[in-house]
Amino acid sequence: MTSLRAIIAEDEPILAYSLVQTLNRLWPELQIGAVLENGVAAVSEALAQHPDILFLDIKMPGKTGLEAAQELAEDWPEDIPFPLLVFVTAYDEYALQAFDQAAADYVLKPVSDERLAKTVDRLKARLVQHQERNGELERIVGQLRALVPAPFATTERLSIIRAAVGNQIRMIPIGEVLYFEATDKYVNVVTADSESLIRTSLKELLPQLDNDRFWQIHRGTVVNTACIQAAVRDDSGKLSLKLHGRSESLVVSRVFSHLFKQM
């Protein structure tokens, strides 16, 4: 088995070094394309290199292993097999339950040679099952969809958005919001006649929204369902939304595409 490439994302240098050395010994044909220290770099490099295997630490700076996997599942090219995921984690009951479903395998820290040898055997077996591997992306998307935490379960609902515009605080009734769009450190609040930035994250905002009224359609986008005119599927199968009276289209990620299945 040749020309296989793996990327390791692990913020503990000693463990990352140990993984590389052990993999080189157990699986010399496997190329290590990169060793990265955070989830953001892992996503970027994986999308650039299209590795066959990803070793993802569950608790990394920037993005957790699960968040990185979700982002990759959303942005991965349709015509390239999705990488097999191996999560590396300290013992964590939630992690074990999640990874048992979404990952090709997981290994616990500290990673022993014996356990990693079993992982290598499992990966080799999965990689030769071409038909299964071609369905890896859909399998991962389905499992990640089940693992996305319910965002609308807590706190009282927002009725007014207070957004800073210059030296003013603009009061925006929640019903006027067409959609929320995450930016670098803020959320852009889009209405029919304005856009305003609020200093919060989409993750913090989500529990305060009515889940019947606002649907998350992408990791960075939440839309007011009353403003959706149609969901449109292009030739490649990707979904996007058209809004009443608006020219822009909002992309629907694979993880949330099930929201627009025909009744």
Side-chain angles (χ1 to χ4, degrees), residues 58-115:
I58 182 55
K59 292 184 178 178
M60 293 183 287
K63 294 181 187 297
T64 68
L66 190 58
E67 290 170 339
Q70 181 180 346
E71 186 167 337
L72 285 170
E74 292 178 345
D75 296 340
W76 198 260
E78 296 277 356
D79 57 341
I80 297 177
F82 195 71
L84 299 178
L85 302 179
V86 178
F87 289 97
V88 183
T89 178
Y91 180 76
D92 183 295
E93 186 174 352
Y94 167 77
L96 295 181
Q97 182 181 1
F99 304 159
D100 190 43
Q101 300 177 62
D105 201 1
Y106 63 83
V107 290
L108 298 178
K109 300 178 183 179
V111 182
S112 68
D113 288 11
E114 182 181 16
R115 181 64 182 84

Side-chain angles (χ1 to χ4, degrees), residues 118-262:
K118 291 182 179 179
T119 297
V120 168
D121 289 341
R122 289 176 182 174
L123 292 172
K124 287 180 176 178
R126 293 286 293 274
L127 287 166
V128 298
Q129 297 170 2
H130 296 294
Q131 184 174 0
E132 180 179 351
R133 196 180 174 207
N134 288 337
E136 188 73 8
L137 178 55
E138 287 307 312
R139 188 184 73 82
I140 291 293
V141 168
Q143 298 298 346
L144 288 173
R145 185 179 297 151
L147 295 173
V148 171
F152 303 110
T154 61
T155 74
E156 62 183 82
R157 302 285 164 70
L158 278 176
S159 59
I160 297 290
I161 301 290
R162 291 170 292 180
V165 180
N167 59 355
Q168 298 181 351
I169 301 297
R170 187 176 176 206
M171 310 297 281
I172 304 173
I174 194 72
E176 293 185 6
V177 177
L178 302 180
Y179 60 92
F180 298 97
E181 184 178 46
T183 63
D184 186 22
K185 295 180 180 178
Y186 304 91
V187 168
N188 188 27
V189 183
V190 180
T191 69
D193 57 5
S194 69
E195 296 190 19
S196 309
L197 294 176
I198 56 176
R199 193 188 298 271
T200 189
S201 68
L202 205 58
K203 186 177 181 180
E204 294 170 329
L205 182 64
L206 276 168
Q208 303 174 67
L209 300 176
D210 182 344
N211 63 335
D212 288 330
R213 194 172 198 175
F214 289 92
W215 288 0
Q216 185 171 14
I217 58 168
H218 190 276
R219 64 181 180 278
T221 313
V222 174
V223 66
N224 186 341
T225 56
C227 302
I228 300 173
Q229 181 183 41
V232 180
R233 193 179 298 278
D234 66 17
D235 294 339
S236 67
K238 293 182 179 179
L239 272 178
S240 60
L241 301 185
K242 290 186 177 298
L243 304 183
H244 293 288
R246 301 286 292 190
S247 59
E248 70 267 49
S249 295
L250 303 182
V251 174
V252 180
S253 79
R254 295 185 180 105
V255 175
F256 299 101
S257 61
H258 65 291
L259 296 172
F260 300 94
K261 285 185 176 178
Q262 186 176 5

